[in-house]
Amino acid sequence: MSQYSEDSGYVVAVDVGGTSMKGGVVTRSGEVVATDRRPTGAEGGPENVVAAIRSFVGDLAARGSSLLGRAPAAVGIAVPGLVDDATATALYAANLGWRDVPATGLVPLDVPVLLGHDVRTGGLAESVLGAGRELTDFLFLPIGTGIAGAMIIKGGPYGGTSGWAGEIGHIPVFPEGERCACGQTGCLETYASAAAVARRYSARAASPATAERVAALTAAGDPVAVKVWDDAVEALSLALATYTLLLDPSAIVLGGGLAEAGPLLSDPLAARLGERLTFRSAPPLRKAALGVSAGMLGAALLGWRAAGVPDARASWALDVPKTSAVP
Ligand SMILES: [Zn+2]
């Protein structure tokens, strides 16, 4: 006999990253009854990733069946790339070497499936369950290896005409600055991603360091680290001032590895943003609430949407984030 409600059903949710994927079995009421993590296997090529996802979805469905006594109602999958909602196809994912991969190829079951862009799917979760819960317009900005934003507009993530909306990491903030991997010059990501902070410090100090280490050195007053950190804050303040002036968000939700620095990042950034915006107030900065589980929880919301329950959010318990840790 299951301890979970018999009529709730569940979805299988998977958040596919460049190197690993996080999966969950999530009930109608938002309980995460199982989680797991696996390598994406991208080094084995695009077909290998497809096979890894298929097998992961199958295994999570088997876990769900044994816990809840039935097959999943649907599957939701967040992928790091462009998605076409109309055809449920992953159009392009540079990390995975994908072009035009249909959602049905990722699922070894005959159930509805929805795909989502990874950052927008995380933003969806933050907007429903996390730091943006009562907000209709905000920017979710995870700062990790790269920087991309989920623009939550009128209550939902906005993808733009071609799915490229939210690429704030490639806004040129220092046009005479350093070259970005994307081919442009002076992109936000080149100065303010966790990878950039680590790379720029390591180059100047001639000593390798992670972004976390650079944060600790900054707090301790190391002059090289302080300068690199200050450049990151300056770059972020420029990009966020632009975003604020264009879209008037009610908050900016910072996530990803760099946000773990807490006030060391948010205090100077809030001050700089406030100084920059002369004729209007700056939106408050908030820390993302769902951490590394955001993408998986967002994928579960997509799964429920695929199952014909667009308002699954209404029945989700408010303490979902506390129970959703992914190993
Ligand atoms: Zn760029």
Side-chain angles (χ1 to χ4, degrees), residues 282-299:
L285 305 180
R286 294 186 180 185
K287 191 161 177 283
L290 304 176
V292 297
S293 299
M296 187 277 285
L297 291 167

Side-chain angles (χ1 to χ4, degrees), residues 237 241-242 244-245 271-283:
S237 76
T242 303
T244 300
L245 291 166
R272 200 82 53 96
L273 185 57
E275 287 162 18
R276 222 168 255 301
L277 297 167
T278 53
F279 59 84
R280 58 154 296 156
S281 61

Side-chain angles (χ1 to χ4, degrees), residues 169-170 180-184 187 189-190:
H170 299 285
C180 179
C182 78
Q184 298 180 159
C187 295
E189 185 171 299
T190 312

Side-chain angles (χ1 to χ4, degrees), residues 25 53 86 104 133 165 222 304 313:
V25 172
I53 295 170
T104 48
R133 197 181 283 161
D222 174 282
W304 279 114
R313 62 201 294 174

Side-chain angles (χ1 to χ4, degrees), residues 77 87-90 101-107 113-115:
I77 303 176
T87 58
T89 303
V101 174
T104 48
L106 304 174
V107 176
V113 49
L114 260 184
L115 296 181

